[in-house]
Amino acid sequence: MERPYIICHMLTSLDGKIIGDYLEEGRAAYFRDLYEKIHERYECKAWMCGRVTLEEHFTFGHQLDLTQDNMESIPRTDYVANKEAKGYAIAVDPSGKLGWSKDHITDDYGLGDHIIEVLTEQVSDAYLSHLQKLGISYIFGGKERINFTVVVEKLKDLFSIDELMLEGGGFLNGSLLNEGLIDELSLILVPIADGASNSVTLFETSSFLNKPKPVNFILKEVEKLDDGGLWMKYITKRD
Ligand SMILES: NC(=O)c1ccc[n+]([C@@H]2O[C@H](COP(=O)([O-])OP(=O)(O)OC[C@H]3O[C@@H](n4cnc5c(N)ncnc54)[C@H](OP(=O)(O)O)[C@@H]3O)[C@@H](O)[C@H]2O)c1
């Protein structure tokens, strides 16, 4: 089955950290701003983030108060609320924790993009009902674990998404790397070493993932940024 071309777009410190105190340094603001500008430059109609990233930047930890009493069971089948959207924000939220209150992103970043939740079948009926009421689309990636190959094929098939920007965090990036789904890496290198040893890096693995085999990339473009930064475009080397 066909799938979108997937570009992982990220910003890191010299020591590969995607979060940390280095982002609070005065110089980092320029690079954060550039991250958004390069995102726009790609003109992709869809972007994907993990639950932790979305909670931090979009739902701000808002918790839903959903009652389960006398809930009718909702079939675990994909729900397409809008297949004509100009843009899509794809939320990887396996058990349905994100406290959305609208069917689209309201922030400047992705303003108006229609939300598609990526779930497992473990999600509650109450959460599915909440998504349907708001008009948020959802797709299932598996019973207990998400198979991202299945997910991206559904994004192409159900929403005609041809290009997808994968935008963190490290656990989500690692999941797609693991399945050989990253075609391109767009990396902004901030000329600061964070120094922390326990913060999240570009590609992470966890107990629910196997350690991926090393993945080779080929440098296609490099641009010197102001203040000593770099933007690098790598393409995945396929054998
Ligand atoms: N520097 C950058 O360019 C950049 C870009 C984006 C984000 N960030 C930062 O990255 C940080 C968050 O990164 P993170 O790696 O901790 O979190 P994340 O990737 O945003 O989210 C991780 C969560 O997503 C779900 N998930 C991811 N992979 C999964 C898989 N294979 N199967 C099932 N569920 C999966 C799980 O949700 P559940 O826990 O609900 O099961 C998991 O805990 C934030 O601080 C954010 O600001 C930085």
Side-chain angles (χ1 to χ4, degrees):
M1 249 179 114
E2 283 187 78
R3 67 162 177 90
Y5 181 80
I6 301 176
I7 302 142
C8 179
H9 176 53
M10 294 294 291
L11 170 151
T12 71
S13 61
L14 289 175
D15 46 352
K17 307 296 181 188
I18 64 166
I19 51 173
D21 292 344
Y22 79 98
L23 290 170
E24 306 311 319
E25 295 283 308
R27 303 165 78 190
Y30 159 73
F31 297 102
R32 295 173 79 142
D33 185 50
L34 208 67
Y35 178 83
E36 310 299 341
K37 289 194 173 124
I38 293 175
H39 166 100
E40 280 161 28
R41 208 154 89 184
Y42 269 95
E43 294 183 342
C44 280
K45 85 169 176 184
W47 51 278
M48 175 187 272
C49 284
R51 195 262 310 161
V52 175
T53 300
L54 291 162
E55 211 156 58
E56 188 180 307
H57 296 282
F58 295 95
T59 63
F60 309 108
H62 176 63
Q63 305 277 316
L64 298 169
D65 181 17
L66 300 171
T67 50
Q68 286 261 39
D69 299 346
N70 303 320
M71 265 311 304
E72 257 185 52
S73 159
I74 298 177
R76 276 22 183 188
T77 49
D78 302 330
Y79 178 75
V80 178
N82 185 349
K83 58 190 318 180
E84 308 283 319
K86 278 206 193 116
Y88 291 101
I90 299 151
V92 177
D93 182 20
S95 50
K97 293 182 187 156
L98 288 168
W100 299 116
S101 55
K102 292 208 170 56
D103 68 336
H104 59 275
I105 300 292
T106 47
D107 163 292
D108 282 355
Y109 185 90
L111 185 69
D113 289 350
H114 175 71
I115 298 162
I116 304 172
E117 277 261 324
V118 176
L119 301 163
T120 66
E121 294 181 25
Q122 304 307 306
V123 65
S124 69
D125 291 313
Y127 193 72
L128 293 182
S129 163
H130 174 74
L131 295 181
Q132 289 192 10
K133 275 187 207 135
L134 291 179
I136 291 178
S137 299
Y138 55 79
I139 57 176
F140 290 95
K143 252 187 178 358
E144 286 168 11
R145 287 181 172 207
I146 296 181
N147 177 327
F148 284 93
T149 305
V150 168
V151 167
V152 296
E153 285 175 356
K154 285 185 179 187
L155 292 174
K156 167 75 181 162
D157 184 43
L158 300 173
F159 300 93
S160 305
I161 292 172
D162 295 318
E163 274 194 325
L164 171 66
M165 293 203 92
L166 170 66
E167 302 194 316
F171 286 94
L172 180 64
N173 293 345
S175 308
L176 278 92
L177 187 77
N178 215 343
E179 289 189 40
L181 292 170
I182 296 177
D183 299 300
E184 182 174 326
L185 177 63
S186 159
L187 187 64
I188 295 173
L189 194 63
V190 180
I192 309 175
D194 187 66
S197 55
N198 55 355
S199 61
V200 184
T201 65
L202 187 54
F203 297 112
E204 290 287 344
T205 184
S206 75
S207 56
F208 56 84
L209 293 171
N210 301 320
K211 185 197 169 295
K213 281 191 263 164
V215 176
N216 284 269
F217 289 89
I218 299 164
L219 184 66
K220 278 287 162 188
E221 271 181 65
V222 60
E223 199 175 299
K224 262 183 152 183
L225 305 173
D226 288 349
D227 198 20
L230 286 178
W231 172 69
M232 291 167 285
K233 175 172 163 173
Y234 287 98
I235 308 292
T236 308
K237 184 172 183 289
R238 308 261 182 216
D239 294 325

